[in-house]
Amino acid sequence: MQSCNHPSVDLTLLEDTLAEYAGVKGSLISILQKTQEIYGYVPIDAVYRISERTGDSPAKILGVATFYSQFRFQAVGKYLIMLCKGTACYVNGAERILDAVSDELGIGNNETTADGLFSLSVVACLGCCSLAPVMMINGTTYGSLTPDKARQILRDLRKEAEGT
Amino acid sequence: MTARIVVGEGSCGLAAGAAAVYDALQKALPADADARLSITGCVGACYLEPIVDVYDADGVLHRCVHVAPENAPAIVSAVATGDYAGLAGIAIQPEDEQFLSKQTRIALRHCGVIDPESIDEYLADDGYQALEKVLKTMTPEQVIEEIKISGLAGRGGAGFPTWFKWNAARASAGTEKYLICNADEGDPGAFMDRAVIESDPHNLIEGMLIAAYAIGCVEAVVYVRAEYPLAIVRLTKAIKQARERGYLGKNILGSDFSCDIRIKAGAGAFVCGEETALIESLEGSRGMPRLKPPFPAEAGYWHKPSNINNVETYANVSWIINHGGAAFAAMGTENSKGTKVFAVTGKVRRGGLVEIPMGMTLRDVIFGIAGGIRDGRKFKAVQLGGPSGGCIPESLLDTVIDYKSLQATGAIMGSGGMVVMDDSTCMVGIAKFFLDFTTKESCGKCVHCRIGTKRLGEILTRIVNGQGKEGDVELLEELCNTVKAGALCGLGQSAPNPVLTTIRYFRDEYDAHIRDKKCPAKACPALLTYSIDPDKCKGCSACAKKCPVQAISGQVKKPFTIDPNVCIRCGACHNTCRFGAVNVE
Amino acid sequence: MSDIKLTINGKLCAGKSGQTILDIARENGIDIPTLCHNDTVAHYGACGLCVVEAEGSPKLLRSCSTLAADGMVINTEGERAVQARKIALELLMSDHDGDCMGPCRLACPAGTNCQAYVKQVALGNTKEAVRIVKERLPLPASIGHVCPHPCEKDCRRGLVEEPISIALIKRFMSMDQLHAPDRWKPEKEPATGKTVGVIGGGPGGLTAAYYLALHGHDVTLTDAMPQMGGMLRYGIPQYRLPKDVVDAEVAEIAETGVKMENNVKIGRDISFADYRAKYDAVVIAIGAWSSTPLRCPGEDLPGVYGGIDFLRSVALHDPLPIGKSVAIVGGGNTAMDACRTAVRLGAENVYVIYRRTKNEMPANLDEIEEAEEEGVQFKFLTNPAEIIGSNGRAAAVKLQVMELGEPDASGRRSPVPVEGKFETLAVDSVIAAIGQKVDPAGFDVELNKRGIIAADETTFRTDLEGVFAVGDATNKGAGIAIAAIGEASKAADVVDSYLRGAIVPYKPPFVSKRTVTAQDLADREKKPRVHVNNRPAQERKHDFEPVNDGFTAEEAMKEASRCLECGCHDYGECSLIQHANRYEIHPERFAGEKRHKDLERKLVVIERDQGKCILCGLCVRVCDEVAGEGLLGLVGRGFGTVVKPEFRDSDRIKVCASCKKCAQACPTGALKILD
């Protein structure tokens, strides 16, 4: 069964994960995390497939997936910027970094640039409070940011992406 | 003795560039050098990262700070020659040494000292001795008694006596019981749990196993925040090592006691720090808190008796067993024993992890250890306990750090976030910041929290936007008090604290926003007016070029002016002007 | 076997261990409000309404889930618990986007349930429609003819094209039933043995008498005129309201046992003191029967009449002599009645003198236009400065020419004289229809500053024990009939409570209102209003027959089916609104963002209205725990959480068993079972 609103995805990629967790109760979040690892997001078709295999209703699965901020339902850009807005970052001017990043990329929170290069996600706390303000891009943390420094990092990444 | 070069690779160190330093050192170090290069976790002096500890052949420590890859050859040559004078430029300064020397480390005792990825280094530093002692010489009751003597209380926030929870779970009927470690450290501004897992994962495992033995659990789970990938990697490694060495699994150390630990990664929900929400999440559901009672000790994970403590709590256990509960209880105050780790951040000169005995004052920590306020500004407030806590003003800086004294201020001990603010922070703004956070993180189940925090945030928003009305403060107070009384779980019950404490101690700032439409800290953009001082303006046009809305005009070499009707108060001109000609009021 | 004892609100209650505080309270007749609790599913604890105080506990306890323990001392109505409950309701209502009642019903001064009777008409059930309207209005046929229908002004269909013709629908259904042999008859409560005298047989008095009689009281309706009906009979011309309609409705009211005495005027035929002495309670509903004087020179000349005096003379078949040229002063409905009546009496030149313009006229536009069609000449922006006499009779009006100045308190632009500019109009008579006054002679009750009977706005009490007053005779003075009826029906309940020993003031219900714009309704199909054709002006101006015949059954059904049904289907049973009305709540203090208000019909037979959802989770839990389907889920987190069904459209019928349990469990109107 294919849903007409979403691009179809290769559901066979899910099989190993579904087999790994078959019969393990309470593993829905882990399955969803694996799903996101595989596809970069949680495709709606995968939700139905997980439902078929786990017996959890699609309503429950979507309810769980939408509860946690980790899960996304659309593909993200090549670079996922997680901009910290924890207390220490806030006190040290995270708002100005957010403004600079938004302005530089022309996107807001939870949006992706038209070229598919950057996605922006404002997060609660990355736990690098002493380096505030910080952002993490694809696992790399950038600390002690200033608006200009943040812009430069994004420009460097863009150059890097265009160079390859 | 072989010299050792140890690079601090906690998350903070890595964020500051420790990996590049490590690579540079590896490259610079000759294959035949009589020196070993290794990593360690986080020593807690995050503001000095990247930190490289060099132990010479005599075992003497030469600590280097703010190390760049370019410093690698100098470090390698110092090790080779034994002459450390060349490292003077990156050597730690005496006042920075005080940051560490004034601390008392129990939970963090191995952090930044041993290699977190090596069980041998842990074993060499008394690792797993407490577990062995417990399994071979103590009954579960004796373990609980020892914890009772120690006075250890939950370090996650509520400060509930640890022995009591263990005892309740032990007393609950049934053989299937679970031990849970809450590593969903969600308070923005707190990161000691991450540091412990990244830097000393075996200590957590050992503490959990002792608890599992005392309670009678066969299975344990660590619920780690998804935002802590490095912690997950290191804990996974440590669990594997412990299992291989027989510290984990069936018949541990040849005893009848069997227990295994697994990791569950959270998926991004602050409310899962609440124990019943955490259990729901562990079961694969939406992390919405359950009604209590029943408490988890009676019916928790899969409705079986369960014990939940946070990382720092477990991290104290092995020390208590090794040194005796009395030694732990000897530190601290009448109602709060032992030490507590704080993550001191914000506008302090020296930010990082600070472990101190209970009973020190806030001033001791903020000024004595963290060096006071940086950039020559004035202390205004310290925020304790994150979104559940409160802001404490300067007049209360001599408050003693223990559960009761902090609670009396309206703040809480919390998990140990200590965010220091100077006079550039708006206290209404900070209240709004926290309410925005709790509104976003409210699970949405109960009315008081779901809509109450939303409305609190909206009222605060209108105040910082200069649209506050007379009576808003009273309305905030009324709503806060009712949300505290009516919310289902700790998140909602404590969400009003940042508002109530800022009203209590900084009422004048609220009034200034509401009545005079002014932000005393000059932090609320909507209440600022930017203008150019014609006497100082050189007419360089730099500000006009930076202005994103073309609100600034003028002729070069003559004073420029800002059109207040066009100005969006972004502050770009103020930040750009090299002559201090842009006034903000 | 009960094994524990606890005290709830001072009452010793027995219960079994394992029972919750809520269970035991309910078994002992103590009602603790809750919205998210339902015995068929597990405890949830979301709504926070069931909180109670327990002695010795600093925290509020959720009674739905807290197990009762022996010796507990519980207070369900303590200050802290009530405060938490109140604020929970205020917060819920601040996020509630729904209309308890349609705007039509809210606009009706009598609160008639327009939407409900319109719907019955659409279904062809006029008997039920009349039953519904008579919950609030015992004279629907009369009012259906004459009401200026404020309901239609607020009708939301007006945002799509034109409002529903509510008045014509009411007229149709009431006329359809007026003489129907099996028409609906009200039931009376058992006799109380109490007596009530109602003074004034107009719409207010008739209404008070009717509802008091239904409450079981022995009611006497006393009126100074020869027949009952008041202004409906003596102030409204026959062409608008045929007298036999009034006769039939008065007869219906008499059938409920109301004793009627006519030609009895207080102060003339019986003193008020003697009248009072006869009854346990008295309701004064004497209306406002004196015309406001013109206050200009010559107003006392013969040939100058008051508007209602003129209309009454016509109703009594003894019309005042008006001659061939008549000037009617005023712009309200009485002025229209007077001028059109003058036309029908054969006057050749009928003028309406009005000091502002047509836009500002308070009369209904239909009335104005029909008068124009019938040849009435409007003299806008003029005001009588003097009535000029000749031969001892009015012969001309000197008119001051006016212009419009600044808006006044009512928002209308106020007329200002143009200095020195006058006109003269030759007339045979002048009818002053500029207002009505109360004549309280003979009633020794307290009057307000304007000489109108002062009655309490919530109890309708006067300063005399057991004496109540309603309608045009009170407070603000003359208004429209339906307003007097509204007061009278409310007063009937208050008087009833008074007669039963404890007076309960009228309290307007708290209701939720939705803000809707034309844009919100842009997707609605346009359905033009059904118009009725008036008889040609040339024909109707010569007789007193009705201007039109009203709707046919077919037209009425078609028109009624245009209703958007704005009011909530669940208003009568909604737990949320019931609890909200139990406490004094002010959700406007917390006004802020509301969650979206999407409507969707994914659940096959159920329409879901997100704006009314309070996230109690009952539908989700019932679908999961009771129906075993798990089709509904909570989506998102925090304030933005919504309930959503999740299955593919192709699975719809197959998956949802249409058991409707979710809708049955819903405590509000968020889930509606489609017929």
Side-chain angles (χ1 to χ4, degrees):
Chain A
M1 206 187 313
Q2 293 291 331
S3 169
C4 49
N5 301 328
H6 299 275
S8 58
V9 292
D10 181 1
L11 291 175
T12 59
L13 299 175
L14 262 184
E15 288 311 310
D16 288 348
T17 299
L18 290 169
E20 182 188 342
Y21 288 102
V24 184
K25 62 177 182 172
S27 48
L28 180 54
I29 293 171
S30 306
I31 294 173
L32 288 166
Q33 285 169 333
K34 287 277 171 84
T35 305
Q36 183 152 296
E37 263 174 45
I38 294 168
Y39 300 103
Y41 67 107
V42 179
I44 189 79
D45 283 349
V47 169
Y48 286 96
R49 182 74 188 122
I50 296 168
S51 170
E52 282 164 27
R53 287 290 298 265
T54 61
D56 286 327
S57 72
K60 179 187 169 167
I61 299 172
L62 267 183
V64 169
T66 56
F67 186 85
Y68 296 97
S69 51
Q70 186 186 22
F71 298 113
R72 299 179 295 265
F73 304 93
Q74 264 145 9
V76 288
K78 180 173 178 195
Y79 298 107
L80 175 61
I81 304 162
M82 301 208 295
L83 193 120
C84 181
K85 226 183 118 180
T87 318
C89 288
Y90 171 80
V91 168
N92 281 301
E95 291 280 352
R96 292 200 295 132
I97 310 301
L98 175 60
D99 289 347
V101 171
S102 285
D103 179 61
E104 180 70 26
L105 300 176
I107 54 173
N109 187 23
N110 293 326
E111 290 177 1
T112 300
T113 52
D115 58 10
L117 217 48
F118 294 99
S119 293
L120 176 59
S121 172
V122 176
V123 299
C125 185
L126 293 167
C128 304
C129 309
S130 300
L131 301 170
V134 298
M135 64 181 175
M136 189 190 268
I137 304 179
N138 292 5
T140 305
T141 309
Y142 300 86
S144 306
L145 295 173
T146 62
D148 287 340
K149 196 168 157 190
R151 283 177 197 270
Q152 196 53 51
I153 290 164
L154 299 176
R155 285 173 199 165
D156 291 347
L157 286 173
R158 187 180 292 278
K159 235 180 256 167
E160 184 187 305
E162 282 161 0
T164 54
Chain B
M1 208 162 139
T2 306
R4 288 192 296 134
I5 304 171
V6 184
V7 181
E9 287 202 2
S11 283
C12 295
L14 288 169
V21 171
Y22 186 92
D23 289 347
L25 284 165
Q26 199 168 31
K27 235 180 252 170
L29 200 65
D32 57 351
D34 185 23
R36 193 161 67 85
L37 178 63
S38 66
I39 63 158
T40 186
C42 171
V43 77
C46 307
Y47 72 106
L48 298 174
E49 298 285 0
I51 297 173
V52 177
D53 285 348
V54 185
Y55 296 89
D56 63 23
D58 302 322
V60 176
L61 169 62
H62 305 269
R63 178 160 282 164
C64 303
V65 300
H66 294 307
V67 180
E70 302 85 84
N71 302 125
I75 293 172
V76 169
S77 101
V79 170
T81 61
D83 176 7
Y84 289 87
L87 298 182
I90 51 172
I92 188 166
Q93 299 302 304
E95 71 260 27
D96 290 322
E97 277 181 338
Q98 286 183 17
F99 177 80
L100 292 165
S101 63
K102 285 187 178 173
Q103 301 188 33
T104 303
R105 296 202 151 197
I106 292 176
L108 300 181
R109 65 191 183 278
H110 299 126
C111 296
V113 178
I114 64 168
D115 180 348
E117 301 192 3
S118 160
I119 190 170
D120 291 318
E121 288 202 16
Y122 181 68
L123 288 168
D125 204 359
D126 301 340
Y128 289 112
Q129 281 188 7
L131 179 66
E132 200 164 342
K133 177 177 173 186
V134 160
L135 293 182
K136 294 195 172 148
T137 68
M138 294 171 83
T139 64
E141 289 79 6
Q142 285 172 323
V143 175
I144 292 175
E145 183 58 25
E146 203 60 45
I147 298 298
K148 186 177 178 182
I149 292 168
S150 77
L152 178 64
R155 295 295 191 239
F160 206 71
T162 303
W163 76 271
F164 190 91
K165 283 173 93 164
W166 291 14
N167 202 43
R170 173 162 186 80
S172 283
T175 50
E176 194 184 331
K177 296 181 184 178
Y178 293 97
L179 190 86
I180 297 165
C181 173
N182 182 351
D184 190 48
E185 185 176 50
D187 281 7
F191 52 93
M192 61 286 297
D193 289 353
R194 190 207 67 200
V196 168
I197 305 177
E198 283 178 3
S199 308
D200 194 14
H202 286 287
N203 187 27
L204 172 62
I205 295 171
E206 187 173 4
M208 286 180 70
L209 287 170
I210 292 168
Y213 171 75
I215 294 164
C217 307
V218 292
E219 198 181 334
V221 192
V222 184
Y223 185 89
V224 194
R225 280 185 88 193
E227 289 88 341
Y228 287 174
L230 183 64
I232 294 174
V233 166
R234 292 208 174 136
L235 184 59
T236 306
K237 260 188 202 169
I239 287 172
K240 190 165 167 271
Q241 291 169 352
R243 210 178 276 141
E244 284 165 2
R245 302 287 183 98
Y247 294 109
L248 201 54
K250 289 244 178 297
N251 301 103
I252 295 171
L253 298 176
S255 71
D256 292 340
F257 174 60
S258 301
C259 182
D260 212 340
I261 298 180
R262 61 199 167 82
I263 301 173
K264 268 274 198 192
F270 173 69
V271 68
C272 290
E274 200 280 341
E275 55 184 9
T276 60
L278 188 151
I279 288 170
E280 286 284 324
S281 185
L282 279 181
E283 293 179 4
S285 298
R286 293 164 61 87
M288 309 213 305
R290 296 176 180 171
L291 282 160
K292 285 193 275 195
F295 289 93
E298 308 153 57
Y301 189 36
W302 301 121
H303 293 274
K304 304 291 183 203
S306 308
N307 179 70
I308 304 185
N309 289 117
N310 85 328
V311 175
E312 190 187 335
T313 313
Y314 288 128
N316 281 304
V317 170
S318 62
W319 191 95
I320 292 169
I321 296 297
N322 281 332
H323 298 80
F328 193 81
M331 292 177 283
T333 67
E334 187 56 36
N335 63 64
S336 305
K337 303 298 184 192
T339 59
K340 175 76 192 93
V341 185
F342 289 93
V344 185
T345 59
K347 300 298 181 85
V348 285
R349 290 175 56 209
R350 301 195 277 271
L353 289 180
V354 174
E355 183 170 0
I356 46 118
M358 301 275 192
M360 276 180 117
T361 66
L362 290 167
R363 192 186 298 279
D364 292 338
V365 175
I366 296 165
F367 287 87
I369 295 176
I373 305 298
R374 66 170 188 241
D375 302 334
R377 298 196 77 116
K378 211 175 151 313
F379 174 90
K380 187 191 255 183
V382 56
Q383 211 284 342
L384 283 184
S388 308
C391 292
I392 299 176
E394 185 169 21
S395 59
L396 295 178
L397 267 182
D398 291 316
T399 302
V400 162
I401 295 173
D402 70 16
Y403 288 101
K404 276 197 181 149
S405 309
L406 290 179
Q407 206 155 20
T409 68
I412 56 166
M413 177 86 75
S415 57
M418 194 183 271
V419 184
V420 178
M421 299 162 205
D422 64 19
D423 54 4
S424 67
T425 305
C426 169
M427 300 315 285
V428 188
I430 202 81
K432 175 186 170 306
F433 166 80
F434 280 113
L435 261 295
D436 285 350
F437 178 84
T438 35
T439 304
K440 242 178 79 189
E441 296 296 336
S442 166
C443 81
K445 185 176 184 180
C446 76
V447 173
H448 286 103
C449 179
R450 180 180 76 239
I451 312 177
T453 57
K454 172 82 180 167
R455 298 295 179 239
L456 286 172
E458 286 173 342
I459 297 168
L460 290 165
T461 301
R462 77 172 175 242
I463 294 175
V464 299
N465 284 338
Q467 287 148 359
K469 294 180 291 210
E470 209 56 53
D472 273 354
V473 174
E474 291 70 23
L475 188 64
L476 283 171
E477 286 178 318
E478 184 189 349
L479 187 51
C480 281
N481 289 324
T482 309
V483 170
K484 273 174 87 90
L488 187 60
C489 82
L491 186 149
Q493 287 163 6
S494 62
N497 289 346
V499 186
L500 287 173
T501 52
T502 48
I503 291 177
R504 183 162 155 192
Y505 300 121
F506 302 96
R507 172 73 193 243
D508 53 331
E509 289 200 29
Y510 281 85
D511 290 342
H513 283 76
I514 294 169
R515 291 183 190 151
D516 312 332
K517 310 296 175 202
K518 290 271 180 226
C519 173
K522 296 183 183 174
C524 296
L527 300 180
L528 298 181
T529 319
Y530 286 84
S531 62
I532 294 174
D533 183 343
D535 297 335
K536 290 185 185 163
C537 179
K538 308 276 187 219
C540 73
S541 85
C543 57
K545 284 185 192 126
K546 272 277 177 182
C547 178
V549 291
Q550 283 84 47
I552 306 177
S553 57
Q555 282 179 320
V556 178
K557 294 196 176 160
K558 286 188 181 158
F560 278 58
T561 53
I562 301 175
D563 183 345
N565 299 317
V566 180
C567 174
I568 56 167
R569 301 167 179 91
C570 68
C573 50
H574 182 254
N575 298 335
T576 303
C577 182
R578 287 180 288 129
F579 312 105
V582 179
N583 294 327
V584 193
E585 278 174 82
Chain C
M1 278 308 287
S2 63
D3 57 357
I4 52 175
K5 283 195 171 62
L6 59 159
T7 311
I8 308 180
N9 298 352
K11 181 181 173 187
L12 194 64
C13 301
K16 294 185 278 286
S17 47
Q19 279 189 303
T20 62
I21 296 170
L22 181 71
D23 290 338
I24 296 176
R26 283 186 175 169
E27 283 176 10
N28 285 275
I30 296 164
D31 182 31
I32 303 174
T34 167
L35 288 167
C36 68
H37 181 76
N38 171 324
D39 290 334
T40 64
V41 288
H43 311 313
Y44 193 62
C47 74
L49 291 195
C50 73
V51 289
V52 296
E53 294 170 18
E55 218 170 82
S57 164
K59 285 187 165 178
L60 294 173
L61 306 178
R62 277 173 158 73
S63 61
C64 70
S65 59
T66 308
L67 295 182
D70 198 46
M72 268 183 166
V73 179
I74 301 292
N75 183 1
T76 71
E77 300 298 317
E79 198 186 324
R80 282 187 305 135
V82 167
Q83 170 75 357
R85 221 173 270 161
K86 229 177 87 169
I87 287 203
L89 287 163
E90 288 179 326
L91 291 172
L92 278 172
M93 294 307 310
S94 77
D95 184 36
H96 199 71
D97 192 66
D99 283 315
C100 287
M101 300 182 191
C104 49
R105 185 172 177 184
L106 289 171
C108 176
T112 55
N113 194 348
C114 317
Q115 180 183 326
Y117 65 70
V118 166
K119 175 157 192 173
Q120 291 305 321
V121 171
L123 296 171
N125 192 352
T126 50
K127 180 176 176 179
E128 174 63 8
V130 169
R131 185 197 67 72
I132 292 166
V133 75
K134 284 200 173 182
E135 288 172 354
R136 297 296 179 105
L137 162 60
L139 304 156
S142 303
I143 296 301
H145 279 82
V146 304
C147 193
H149 46 70
C151 50
E152 293 184 20
K153 201 170 122 262
D154 282 12
C155 173
R156 207 166 274 157
R157 187 96 217 175
L159 295 174
V160 182
E161 9 45 19
E162 285 179 284
I164 310 285
S165 270
I166 301 173
L168 276 173
I169 289 172
K170 178 158 55 229
R171 172 176 160 193
F172 160 76
M173 72 197 206
S174 317
M175 292 304 287
D176 189 54
Q177 287 289 308
L178 196 59
H179 299 293
D182 69 334
R183 65 186 182 276
W184 174 80
K185 296 273 165 86
E187 272 178 40
K188 278 181 69 167
E189 289 172 43
T192 60
K194 301 281 183 184
T195 57
V196 189
V198 179
I199 305 166
L206 285 164
T207 300
Y210 174 78
Y211 291 116
L212 282 164
L214 295 187
H215 279 309
H217 306 300
D218 180 2
V219 183
T220 303
L221 181 61
T222 305
D223 192 87
M225 298 297 286
Q227 284 181 283
M228 293 298 175
M231 283 291 178
L232 292 176
R233 182 181 298 278
Y234 297 108
I236 307 274
Q238 169 84 8
Y239 69 89
R240 277 182 65 201
L241 172 58
K243 302 294 179 250
D244 57 349
V245 175
V246 180
D247 292 342
E249 293 202 308
V250 169
E252 289 263 316
I253 291 169
E255 260 186 57
T256 64
V258 174
K259 287 175 221 147
M260 298 190 175
E261 47 182 32
N262 284 95
N263 297 313
V264 176
K265 186 170 167 64
I266 305 298
R268 181 188 72 191
D269 303 309
I270 182 171
S271 77
F272 184 54
D274 288 347
Y275 189 85
R276 268 183 78 193
K278 286 164 69 177
Y279 303 104
D280 296 317
V282 169
V283 179
I284 303 173
I286 56 171
W289 282 57
S290 299
S291 291
T292 307
L294 280 174
R295 292 184 209 285
C296 71
E299 66 169 326
D300 295 328
L301 284 168
V304 180
Y305 312 119
I308 47 172
D309 305 309
F310 167 65
L311 291 169
R312 183 167 65 238
S313 73
V314 178
L316 287 164
H317 307 293
D318 185 17
L320 290 161
I322 53 172
K324 290 292 168 203
S325 295
V326 193
I328 290 95
V329 184
N333 281 324
T334 303
M336 294 305 98
D337 288 345
C339 70
R340 297 178 70 185
T341 297
V343 168
R344 282 163 175 75
L345 289 174
E348 287 162 10
N349 300 306
V350 179
Y351 306 101
V352 168
I353 295 165
Y354 181 55
R355 55 196 182 132
R356 305 186 215 222
T357 71
K358 188 169 168 181
N359 289 335
E360 288 82 29
M361 277 180 76
N364 272 30
L365 187 61
D366 285 354
E367 293 281 326
I368 301 167
E369 285 174 350
E370 287 169 18
E372 282 175 332
E373 287 166 17
E374 291 164 10
V376 173
Q377 301 165 58
F378 286 84
K379 307 285 291 177
F380 292 117
L381 291 169
T382 61
N383 200 35
E386 185 185 351
I387 315 287
I388 299 161
S390 171
N391 299 326
R393 270 193 71 88
V397 199
K398 184 180 177 190
L399 298 173
Q400 163 75 59
V401 176
M402 314 290 282
E403 62 185 1
L404 289 182
E406 295 300 305
D408 65 7
S410 73
R412 296 181 302 173
R413 293 177 67 188
S414 55
V416 188
V418 182
E419 211 168 315
K421 205 169 171 195
F422 295 94
E423 278 177 31
T424 306
L425 197 63
V427 293
D428 299 315
S429 59
V430 177
I431 298 173
I434 56 171
Q436 293 153 241
K437 285 195 314 179
V438 181
D439 177 9
F443 294 90
D444 47 357
V445 292
E446 191 188 356
L447 307 179
N448 68 16
K449 278 183 239 157
R450 293 165 57 208
I452 303 170
I453 295 172
D456 183 89
E457 305 224 343
T458 62
T459 60
F460 308 97
R461 276 177 139 161
T462 64
D463 62 325
L464 299 179
E465 177 61 28
V467 178
F468 301 80
V470 296
D472 286 2
T474 63
N475 301 338
K476 286 186 195 129
I480 58 178
I482 193 71
I485 289 168
E487 280 188 22
S489 70
K490 287 162 199 156
D493 290 340
V494 175
V495 174
D496 177 58
S497 70
Y498 168 79
L499 290 171
R500 290 175 195 271
I503 193 158
V504 182
Y506 169 75
K507 189 175 152 228
F510 172 83
V511 290
S512 168
K513 293 174 203 168
R514 181 173 260 175
T515 311
V516 176
T517 63
Q519 211 175 357
D520 297 325
L521 299 172
D523 60 340
R524 299 301 172 113
E525 186 195 345
K526 300 248 187 304
K527 294 180 183 171
R529 192 177 206 195
V530 180
H531 288 274
V532 292
N533 290 326
N534 289 342
R535 289 193 293 135
Q538 282 313 313
E539 177 191 320
R540 66 182 193 239
K541 67 188 275 192
H542 298 298
D543 62 40
F544 277 89
E545 295 305 306
V547 171
N548 62 52
D549 294 334
F551 281 143
T552 62
E554 206 178 320
E555 286 168 336
M557 284 170 79
K558 187 173 173 199
E559 178 63 9
S561 69
R562 294 174 65 230
C563 177
L564 294 170
E565 300 189 30
C566 311
C568 185
H569 68 281
D570 201 42
Y571 178 58
E573 277 138 43
C574 174
S575 307
L576 175 62
I577 205 68
Q578 282 163 15
H579 296 322
N581 273 295
R582 182 165 157 183
Y583 299 93
E584 186 76 27
I585 69 164
H586 298 282
E588 64 283 356
R589 326 192 275 151
F590 299 121
E593 186 190 337
K594 292 186 179 192
R595 286 175 305 137
H596 27 96
K597 46 184 175 186
D598 310 340
L599 271 186
E600 62 141 66
R601 296 190 172 178
K602 214 174 172 184
L603 280 176
V604 192
V605 294
I606 289 161
E607 183 176 80
R608 298 181 333 106
D609 188 340
Q610 293 283 13
K612 295 179 186 169
C613 174
I614 57 168
L615 289 176
C616 69
L618 271 173
C619 55
V620 176
R621 292 179 285 143
V622 163
C623 186
D624 187 23
E625 295 174 37
V626 180
E629 299 283 352
L631 299 179
L632 291 164
L634 292 165
V635 169
R637 183 170 79 194
F639 185 74
T641 310
V642 291
V643 172
K644 252 183 137 171
E646 184 52 53
F647 41 83
R648 298 181 189 220
D649 280 346
S650 50
D651 294 346
R652 214 156 94 99
I653 310 271
K654 192 174 71 194
V655 177
C656 177
S658 303
C659 69
K660 303 176 188 169
K661 289 191 173 77
C662 54
Q664 284 151 5
C666 179
T668 74
L671 297 178
K672 178 180 177 185
I673 300 170
L674 301 172
D675 316 309

